[in-house]
Each structure stands twice: as structure tokens, then as C-alpha cells.
Amino acid sequence: MSNIESVLVENRVFPPSEATVKAARISGMPAYEAMCHEAERDLEGFWARLAKDNVVWTKPFTTTLNESNAPFYKWFEDGELNASANCLDKHVGTPVENKTAIIFEADDGAVTRVTYKEMLARVGQFANALKAQGIKKGDRVIIYMPMGVEGVVAMQACARIGATHSVVFGGFSAKALNERIIDAGAVAVVTANYQMRGGKELPLKSIVDEGIGMGGCDTLKTVLVYMRTATACNMVAGRDKTFAEVLEGQGSDCPPVAVNAEHPLFVLYTSGSTGKPKGVQHSTGGYLLWAKLTMDWTFDIRPDDVFWCTADIGWITGHTYVAYGPLAAGATQVIFEGIPTFPHAGRFWQMIEKHKATVFYTAPTAIRSLIKAAETDEKVHPKNWDLSSLRILGTVGEPINPEAWMWYYRNVGGERCPVVDTFWQTETGGHMITPLPGATPLVPGSCTLPLPGIMAAIVDETGKDVPNGAGGMLVVKRPWPSMIRTIWGDPERFKKSYFPEEMGGKLYLAGDGAVRDAKRGYFRITGRIDDVLNVSGHRLGTMEIESALVAKTDLVAEAAVVGRPDDLTGEAICAFVVLKRARPSGEEAKQIAADLRNWVAKEIGPIAKPKDIRFGDNLPKTRSGKIMRRLLRSIAKGEAITQDVSTLENPAILEQLAQTN
Ligand code: PRX
């Protein structure tokens, strides 16, 4: 890819083809604009209409939005529904009933198909098994599972009985799991003996045992274990039961429990700017509405589509666009257990051909790593597979650089498929700013315009709008149905993090910087403005990693973590560490750095391992003792320090830290 290409990016515009516009549900910009105007004129009327048309309510709502206790907004508050019934029961007696809901491809390539009817039976049976364990409406259940049908069944079964699930990504450590079990007050953990990834059998159950063994999990009564592989695992008598044991004798009929629209469907932990992850609490009614609608709008889902979102159910993308959205939309979806590079880096393209996927949704990091692989080995280039089934491509999780966008558009989409660069967050529940495939002219590297009803804007620190072309903070000015309701157990932190008083207390602060272009008003996300890093599309708090490092009390005195740009992972983690002993160098430094990386993997998970670790006698601090992170960011990038260092207590330290060990 030439540099010229990347310089010219801003000027490239790809309008949707006439045929795409004609066939699309939201057809052309005037249709999009009309919807936006409808929402601007009458926000409540707009959402009420959509909620009536797209959600099956067991008790219809009469109030749309209650703002009396803002920012604790309530949507459809007197309505009742069941999320699982909206994904499964709703299709009974329609042509969707016998359609394939899930095409599951295992790590080793084995394929299983599950119809909607079978899915309903499996979810019903698992829900009955949960009930038989004493799990009931309002209880919290941790799900720590591999990618597969069983994970989705477990989530749907919780929803069916009104239990609130909290899925923990299978790459998180025992300690992370322990903290989440305690914070959520979970009564059960649903897990598997092992998971298969890249041909390797990796433990899950032993990590659960270790996590529970760390203590404090007083609410926990039950651990349910899916035997994914034939290898036995430790089972604690009285507490642990296999799926086979608890499903035995359970019928598949389980009436869905109607819950209030505001009932917490799930809590999903994500990193914030302090050390402790936040339990993002989502509602049932508003969340489900947006999961269904964004499937229809952003992916323009049709009855014959084969939708494939590659995200793990441990992340929000896997919640909205694997576990709920595709089922609510009645789509056929692919679920993949493995990794994109096994047994070769053409696996995604091979699977698109094999399953005739029509809509493909993945992360920029995956695209960048597959570009690299295709450039070094022709055999894994997408041109080797027939990708003509594709009609829409999507990306999510981090900014996509225009070069990667162009490669994806050309080599995967054959210059035929719109690329929807979807900006959103764990907290937003679903897409916020994204092109519509049959309406929005695309600009590489831009998530373009907010969806109808989403009042996104860019403001300065006082909450005032900035003009197009000037950067600022991304906010949402009005509530929307799928927004975060609170931080589990910490409403004060919710208010402070997302609705700061300094900005009037009513603007939702996304935590990202953004700029709108002067010509079209298109949004471009410039990255986090808080102490949150985005590594391979995974959110990590710098303080979370710092806390993990200093928890190694025998070795580490102090640590500061910053991000630096990385071609492949977007951002890379760079840790500056002061040891309790003399600053190491050479082989010893390498060894200690490796030990610390493994330590962080154990404390949080392998995704949090710092790429660079540098040792210093001290950290750059102001006279009042504050670590000057902006200097560390420059050092991490390898930049010369041009900033004012006059307030620095110990300027000599900069030179020391700039040397790589
Ligand atoms: O910084 C933004 C980035 O990912 C953050 C949200 O991370 P998480 O809650 O883990 O959810 C990721 C999946 C929705 C945002 O604050 N981000 C997400 N999508 C984009 C993005 N940055 C730029 N462009 C995007 N399309």
C-alpha cells in the first residue's frame, strides 16, 4: 500500500450502487434524513413507534421515556416482555421456525446446524435445568464459556427465566473471574471443562476453581460444566455438575418469564479509567429493541442472509450481534469456535466461501493481521476463495485505518460491498454512528453519521458544540433505549463517569475524542480521551494494568502504563516500572520483563500483557509527586521530548527511560 493512498484517503468517497440503494430497507439518504427528522421532531413518538413494531410485549408499555430521575433514564417502564421469547418463541409458526439459526463451525472444522425450533427446545431445557438448581428471576449467573451454541443457549436460558447473566471472556484470568463473581454476587457459574482454540485444548474449569478458591465468593452455590472435550476435569462434590447431569430428565418446554422492560438483562464488565472494571448494566426492553433494529438498519438483514459476526460472546459485540440481534431478526448466523489463523490465515475467507456468508462483521485488528499474512503468503490471500456471496462488510471496536479499509473493500468485498464502520461501546448496547449500506456514501476511516434517534455531537469541556473541523469530545445529547442504565452496585460512579456535572449532567460522555469533517459533517473517532487503551479492539484501563503490576509486591515498587500506536494492534501497552531492587539491565532485565508479562496475564488475562516494559530508577514526576504521563507517552513512541519539563522534579530520568533495555 502506497503512502500516497493513505494521504489521499479523505477525498475518496464510495456511494452505494443504485441497485444497493433500491434494494435496501433504508433506501437512500433522503429516507435516512426523514427518519432523523422524525426523531428530532418527536423523540418519544419515534421510539414508541419502533418499540411497538419491533418488540413482542406481553404487557404493552404506556410511557415511553421517564426522565424524572435523569441520568437514570427509564424506557418503556411499564411494559413487560421476555428477551428470549423475542428471539425464539416469536418465530414459532412462521417460516423462520424451521430455518437454521446457527451454523456452528468448531475449531477443527466440524460443522453443526441448529434450527430455530431446536434452539427453542435447547434453551427451554437449559432454562429448566437452571430452575432445578434453584436459580430464579433476579439472580446473577456468570457465564465463562468457549464460543459455541452452548454459550448462547446459556445466555438465552438466563434471559428466559429472568436471571441476569454476566459473561466473562474466556481469556480472562482466575483473579478477574473472582472479582466479577464477587461484584455481581453471582449464584452460579456456567463454564466448560476446556476450550479448543488453534488446535489446543485450553483449560476453563480449572481457572474457575482457582478463581473461586481465591475466596469471597459467598453467594456462589453452583458450577455447571459443559464437557467440550473428552478430558476429565476436577469436580467439587455438591457444587459442580456437568451439563449432562443437570439436563437429564428436563423437558424442553419452559414458559418465558415476563419481566419489566427495565429489568437487567445482563451486566457486562468493561475497563474504565480507574483500577476496578465497571459492571455495565443493560435493560431488557430498550436493549432488545436496538439489537433487533440495528440488525435491520446497519446490516439490512434479509430472510436469506447468512450473517457472521466474529466477536466472542465475552464482549458486547458478541452479546448484541451473536446472542441476541441475529436471533431477534430471525437470521441464520455463523458461530466460529476457533481463531482466524488456524490452521492457516485464510480461515475466515475459507469459511465465508463454505457457508456462503452474506454479511461479515469483524475487527480492524483481525483485518490488519490477515493483510499481513496475505502479503507474506499468497496462499492465504482472500483471492483464493470465492467470496461472491458477500454483500455487506462491517468493522467494529477501534478506528480502522484507511489502508486497511481499502484492502477490505477491494480484496474481501470485491469493491461491491459497502463497509459499515460501526462506532459504539459496551455502554451503548448497539451501533451509534455508522453508515447505512443502502444510503450513506462511504469515506474510508470514518464511521460517518449517527443512526436515526441517536443525538451524537462533539463538544468542548464545558459541553458547548464545536464547529465541524474542530476536534472535541464525543457526546450523546438525548437518551436512547439501549443505553447503559447504571454501573452495577455503583450508581455514583455511573453518574460521574458518563454524565459529568461540569458538562451540565445531561450529556452522555462517550470517553472518545472525535472530529466532524467540514464538508459532510462525517464523524471520525480519534481515540479515547481517558486512561483507557484499545489494544486489538479490547478495552483495558491503564490503572488496571498498573494495579496488576504493583500487586507483585516482592518486586515492583511503582509502575506507570501508557499506550503507544502500533501498526497491528492499534495501540500497544507500554509499562514503565520501578523495582524494589536496583534497576536491571541486559539479560536480567529481559528475564524480569518476561516474568512481569506473565504476572499480568495471570492477574488480568493474556490480552493485558505489556508489549514493552522499561525499568527506571524512578518515574518522571512533578514536584507534587504526580506522574507525568504525557512525557511517558512520548518516550513510549520514541519521540524526542519537546514538552515543557520545567515542573519536573527529576528531569534526568527521561534519558534513562528512553533507553531500551
Ligand atoms: O474507543 C472507542 C472504540 O472502542 C471503544 C468501546 O470499546 P468497547 O466498550 O469494548 O466496545 C467495543 C465494541 C463496540 C470506544 O469508546 N471503538 C469502537 N468502535 C469503534 C471505535 N473506535 C473507532 N471506530 C469504531 N468503529
Side-chain angles (χ1 to χ4, degrees), residues 38-272:
E38 184 195 344
E40 275 153 27
R41 266 196 320 272
D42 176 13
L43 189 77
E44 288 193 36
F46 172 80
W47 287 116
R49 172 176 73 76
L50 293 166
K52 280 176 194 148
D53 291 350
N54 289 279
V55 175
V56 180
W57 300 92
T58 45
K59 178 172 172 254
F61 61 90
T62 60
T63 347
T64 303
L65 171 64
N66 178 346
E67 301 191 64
S68 61
N69 190 25
F72 299 93
Y73 298 99
K74 288 189 171 146
W75 283 92
F76 320 118
E77 65 173 332
D78 57 346
E80 287 181 8
L81 75 160
N82 181 279
S84 163
N86 266 277
C87 293
L88 300 170
D89 308 57
K90 150 177 123 177
H91 303 303
V92 174
T94 78
V96 176
E97 188 181 34
N98 293 310
K99 181 177 169 176
T100 301
I102 296 172
I103 304 170
F104 172 65
E105 179 158 327
D107 190 54
D108 66 3
V111 174
T112 23
R113 286 164 189 273
V114 187
T115 67
Y116 270 89
K117 210 176 186 173
E118 288 161 352
M119 203 52 198
L120 175 61
R122 285 179 69 167
V123 169
Q125 194 188 19
F126 199 77
N128 282 330
L130 292 177
K131 283 202 288 195
Q133 300 308 309
I135 298 166
K136 54 184 191 315
K137 179 178 166 187
D139 285 344
R140 273 83 56 208
V141 175
I142 297 273
I143 298 177
Y144 187 63
M145 290 281 278
M147 270 306 274
V149 178
E150 290 71 19
V152 177
V153 167
M155 292 166 81
Q156 285 278 341
C158 287
R160 199 161 186 87
I161 62 169
T164 300
H165 60 69
S166 184
V167 186
V168 177
F169 173 59
F172 277 121
S173 68
K175 173 117 186 281
L177 195 55
N178 171 273
E179 287 165 359
R180 284 154 177 77
I181 295 170
I182 296 171
D183 191 82
V187 298
V189 174
V190 181
T191 188
N193 62 339
Y194 287 88
Q195 58 178 335
M196 292 302 302
R197 283 169 75 81
K200 291 195 200 96
E201 192 179 34
L202 306 169
L204 283 176
K205 174 61 168 56
S206 63
I207 297 173
V208 172
D209 289 346
E210 196 188 332
I212 297 170
M214 288 172 171
C217 306
D218 307 331
T219 49
L220 191 80
K221 306 249 164 10
T222 313
V223 178
L224 302 179
V225 186
Y226 165 53
M227 297 302 283
R228 168 63 188 89
T229 67
T231 314
C233 65
N234 176 51
M235 296 293 279
V236 176
R239 185 195 75 183
D240 304 353
K241 297 173 186 95
T242 64
F243 272 28
E245 282 172 295
V246 295
L247 289 171
E248 165 100 51
Q250 295 296 345
S252 57
D253 190 21
C254 174
V257 173
V259 299
N260 183 273
E262 284 295 318
H263 182 72
L265 178 61
F266 64 89
V267 171
L268 182 59
Y269 287 85
T270 189
S271 297

Side-chain angles (χ1 to χ4, degrees), residues 155-401:
M155 292 166 81
Q156 285 278 341
C158 287
R160 199 161 186 87
I161 62 169
T164 300
H165 60 69
S166 184
V167 186
V168 177
F169 173 59
F172 277 121
S173 68
K175 173 117 186 281
L177 195 55
N178 171 273
E179 287 165 359
R180 284 154 177 77
I181 295 170
I182 296 171
D183 191 82
V187 298
V189 174
V190 181
T191 188
N193 62 339
Y194 287 88
Q195 58 178 335
M196 292 302 302
R197 283 169 75 81
K200 291 195 200 96
E201 192 179 34
L202 306 169
L204 283 176
K205 174 61 168 56
S206 63
I207 297 173
V208 172
D209 289 346
E210 196 188 332
I212 297 170
M214 288 172 171
C217 306
D218 307 331
T219 49
L220 191 80
K221 306 249 164 10
T222 313
V223 178
L224 302 179
V225 186
Y226 165 53
M227 297 302 283
R228 168 63 188 89
T229 67
T231 314
C233 65
N234 176 51
M235 296 293 279
V236 176
R239 185 195 75 183
D240 304 353
K241 297 173 186 95
T242 64
F243 272 28
E245 282 172 295
V246 295
L247 289 171
E248 165 100 51
Q250 295 296 345
S252 57
D253 190 21
C254 174
V257 173
V259 299
N260 183 273
E262 284 295 318
H263 182 72
L265 178 61
F266 64 89
V267 171
L268 182 59
Y269 287 85
T270 189
S271 297
S273 41
T274 68
K276 191 171 173 262
K278 319 186 249 202
V280 173
Q281 179 180 322
H282 276 287
S283 72
T284 302
Y287 172 80
L288 194 90
L289 169 65
W290 203 223
K292 156 76 167 61
L293 269 183
T294 48
M295 286 297 295
D296 287 348
W297 291 359
T298 312
F299 298 123
D300 197 25
I301 282 296
R302 302 171 191 172
D304 53 355
D305 269 322
V306 175
F307 176 79
W308 182 15
C309 165
T310 65
D312 191 282
I313 53 166
W315 311 113
I316 189 68
T317 310
H319 279 58
T320 311
Y321 301 107
V322 178
Y324 290 103
L327 298 174
T332 295
Q333 72 169 318
V334 176
I335 294 185
F336 176 42
E337 180 178 43
I339 56 171
T341 48
F342 177 81
H344 54 76
R347 182 81 184 258
F348 275 2
W349 323 131
Q350 185 182 34
M351 282 181 61
I352 290 171
E353 177 186 282
K354 182 166 161 191
H355 302 300
K356 302 204 167 32
T358 58
V359 182
F360 180 66
Y361 189 37
T362 197
T365 288
I367 299 167
R368 286 192 295 264
S369 74
L370 299 178
I371 294 175
K372 201 168 157 203
E375 278 171 354
T376 40
D377 179 4
E378 281 253 308
K379 288 201 295 297
V380 298
H381 192 282
K383 70 183 175 199
N384 297 297
W385 287 274
D386 175 7
L387 306 181
S388 60
S389 57
L390 288 170
R391 63 178 195 91
I392 294 175
L393 298 175
T395 69
V396 56
E398 47 180 332
I400 180 160
N401 45 314

Side-chain angles (χ1 to χ4, degrees), residues 270 316-317 395-400 421-427 447 510 512 525 527-528 534 537 539:
T270 189
I316 189 68
T317 310
T395 69
V396 56
E398 47 180 332
I400 180 160
D421 172 357
T422 62
F423 168 84
W424 58 297
Q425 307 175 295
T426 304
E427 293 88 341
C447 52
D512 281 291
I525 307 298
R528 299 288 307 191
N534 192 328
R539 234 168 109 165

Side-chain angles (χ1 to χ4, degrees), residues 14-24 28 409 415-418 437-440:
F14 300 86
S17 73
E18 247 176 71
T20 310
V21 174
K22 220 165 143 208
Y409 180 72
E415 301 189 20
R416 178 185 80 247
C417 308
T440 322

